[in-house]
Amino acid sequence: MATQYGITGTTAKALSASVERAVTDGGLEPGAALPPVRRLAEDLGISPGTVATAYKELRRRGIVVTRGRGGTVVAPAPAVASRRPPRVPDGLRDLAGGHPDPAFLPDLLPPGRLAPGARSHRSSPRLPRLEEAVRQWLGAGGVPVEHVTFAHGALDLIGRLLSVELRPGDAVAMEDPGYHHLLDLVTALGLRTVAVAVDDEGMRPEALRTVLRAGVRAVVCSPRAQNPYGGRFSAARRDALVDVLREAPDVLVIENDHAGSIAAAPLHTLTAGGLTRWAHVATVTKYLGTDLRWAAAACDATTLARHDGRLLLTSGWVSHLLQETVLSLMTDDGTQGLVRRAREAYDERRRALTDELGRRGIAAHGMSGMNVWVPVRDESAVVNGLRTHGWWVAAGARFRIETAPGVRITTAGLPPADARRLAGDFAAVLGESQATYGG
């Protein structure tokens, strides 16, 4: 009966709403099969066309997917909720969150003075001094900075760019493994995620060429500190990717440099390659403060106009109070010294873990940023095994599309001395896993 699925209603709208409620409440988990159209129609006493319309709407919104003869099932990451990590158990060392070390974040103080009264935010949405600081910041990395804009964080900016450029059902090329919130965002917009394999130098050119020829409408990638793999573009890889992208001039290329100032890797930006449609997104959340929901982008003129037009119709502008706070931190010598120390410490800590794992014969990836990706055969066995040793790491499932299993370890708060102990425990857990599973 349909009641076992928590599905009720006599209209397509009511049906789709009941399925969404069941997914949100956990009654229908990812991968759960929905009843066939005709069976559900018979159970509810409605027409098959009504059920088909409801299922079509659920597919459009990314809540369910159709698997041919496998029927309609709840999407692996339903668009009604992001793939939130499980709560960190008490008493464990948290290396799963992807967060910076608080010791390297400056105190967040509002600007000492901001004149009261009405200001023309819509006619002057960006503070000229911050706009100039952004041009210097991004331009120093080789990004063309004729057109810049601001938003409420990188995800807000990327989501707006995709929503004004694409339509539900369009395909977006995404890194695999990739940042889980970005993967969920694409699904929530009703877009299709198409996997592009990555390695230590970022997206693989031939994999990108394949999906471009298949008709993707946008590409989202990270030039450095790729999350979770830790890859970074070399100059040669950047050039190879630009050559591929020039074959598809109408595709929007979004470069997400989310941790640039602490990545400990030079920026080899795709945007310097003469692309037609592009945006370089940069944010400060990882090194100036997690509460600073602000991002900047340099982009081509068409992308700027479309983004700012949509921004004008929604939030209108980014708070001048927030802009003043960001500007004060970006131009403060003490804060910039703290950022430099963070970059050096994160680089040392990441390298310490990959080196220690390597000494034990464990392959690990982490050329830049704050995370290390370790391929494993059984994610659950490794996560639970490390838990018994007092460590909490992230299972790779929520970062993966098609790539093989792995775990992500955030090294931002892991001093080199602790990396040695973690690597030893990791080796012990792998040995136990191999013995259990006949490896």
Side-chain angles (χ1 to χ4, degrees), residues 26-77:
L28 284 172
E29 298 181 347
L34 270 62
V37 169
R38 291 190 178 278
R39 183 193 306 169
L40 182 57
E42 291 175 0
D43 289 345
L44 297 177
I46 58 178
S47 74
T50 299
V51 177
T53 299
Y55 281 13
K56 181 179 179 181
E57 173 64 14
L58 290 166
R59 284 195 300 272
R60 186 189 69 79
R61 295 182 51 222
I63 297 174
V64 303
V65 295
T66 300
R67 293 179 174 170
R69 294 184 178 180
T72 300
V73 302
V74 178

Side-chain angles (χ1 to χ4, degrees), residues 7-43:
I7 301 175
T8 59
T10 57
T11 66
K13 183 177 181 180
L15 281 175
S16 61
S18 70
V19 172
E20 182 172 343
R21 283 195 301 272
V23 172
T24 303
D25 296 341
L28 284 172
E29 298 181 347
L34 270 62
V37 169
R38 291 190 178 278
R39 183 193 306 169
L40 182 57
E42 291 175 0
D43 289 345

Side-chain angles (χ1 to χ4, degrees), residues 121-435:
H121 292 90
R122 289 184 179 271
S123 61
S124 301
R126 295 181 290 276
L127 295 180
R129 289 179 298 145
L130 181 56
E131 190 169 339
E132 180 56 32
V134 166
R135 293 183 193 278
Q136 294 179 12
W137 175 35
L138 301 185
V143 178
V145 291
E146 182 179 359
H147 306 288
V148 299
T149 190
F150 302 159
H152 302 92
L155 288 172
D156 175 68
L157 209 161
I158 294 171
R160 191 173 294 110
L161 290 174
L162 292 174
S163 67
V164 298
E165 293 288 341
L166 279 64
R167 296 293 177 265
D170 286 345
V172 182
M174 303 290 291
E175 296 166 326
D176 185 22
Y179 182 40
H180 58 101
H181 288 311
L182 266 177
L183 297 176
D184 294 341
L185 174 62
V186 169
T187 302
L189 293 173
L191 305 173
R192 290 188 296 113
T193 297
V194 180
V196 180
V198 302
D199 57 24
D200 290 330
E201 296 186 68
M203 277 188 168
R204 297 179 180 177
E206 286 307 314
L208 178 59
R209 176 175 280 112
T210 297
V211 301
L212 287 173
R213 289 176 174 173
V216 300
R217 294 287 311 282
V219 176
V220 182
C221 60
S222 302
R224 51 186 172 178
Q226 196 273 347
N227 186 0
Y229 208 84
R232 81 288 182 267
F233 292 164
S234 63
R237 174 60 58 86
R238 182 270 316 276
D239 292 345
L241 290 172
V242 167
D243 287 343
V244 172
L245 290 166
R246 284 175 178 160
E247 300 172 9
D250 295 332
V251 170
L252 175 64
V253 179
I254 301 175
E255 189 174 66
N256 180 23
D257 194 23
H258 65 97
S261 292
I262 54 169
L267 175 62
H268 296 292
T269 176
L270 299 172
T271 66
L275 303 178
T276 304
R277 299 299 313 283
W278 58 273
H280 177 91
V281 180
T283 185
V284 298
T285 303
K286 294 297 185 184
Y287 45 92
L288 293 186
T290 54
D291 277 333
L292 285 181
R293 312 312 299 177
W294 175 88
C299 49
D300 66 88
T302 299
T303 300
L304 176 79
R306 292 178 179 177
H307 172 274
D308 285 7
R310 179 62 61 86
L311 179 67
L312 184 66
L313 294 172
T314 53
S315 57
W317 63 85
V318 176
S319 161
H320 283 195
L321 184 65
L322 175 58
Q323 291 188 50
E324 288 280 6
T325 302
V326 172
L327 177 63
S328 67
L329 292 170
M330 289 181 68
T331 56
D332 177 69
D333 290 341
T335 298
Q336 293 309 306
L338 190 61
V339 171
R340 288 192 294 272
R341 292 195 293 276
R343 179 171 59 247
E344 294 166 358
Y346 294 156
D347 189 35
E348 179 186 27
R349 294 172 183 183
R350 188 189 66 256
R351 290 176 182 273
L353 181 59
T354 56
D355 288 348
E356 290 293 344
L357 290 171
R359 290 190 184 98
R360 293 162 176 79
I362 302 171
H365 303 276
M367 300 295 290
S368 61
M370 303 189 303
N371 298 296
V372 168
W373 178 263
V374 187
V376 298
R377 185 174 60 179
D378 187 319
E379 293 176 1
S380 295
V382 171
V383 171
N384 291 324
L386 288 174
R387 177 177 180 174
T388 66
H389 291 272
W391 307 103
W392 186 246
V393 302
R398 71 179 188 269
F399 305 99
R400 299 188 288 109
I401 307 171
E402 298 174 355
T403 195
V407 295
R408 188 193 72 171
I409 304 174
T410 299
T411 56
L414 185 72
D418 293 340
R420 186 176 305 110
R421 181 166 67 87
L422 173 59
D425 291 341
F426 205 116
V429 167
L430 287 183
E432 295 165 0
S433 175
Q434 288 174 349

Side-chain angles (χ1 to χ4, degrees), residues 90-111:
D90 293 338
L92 298 188
R93 182 81 170 272
D94 182 12
L95 302 178
H99 305 303
D101 186 339
F104 294 113
L105 296 177
D107 293 331
L108 292 184
L109 301 175

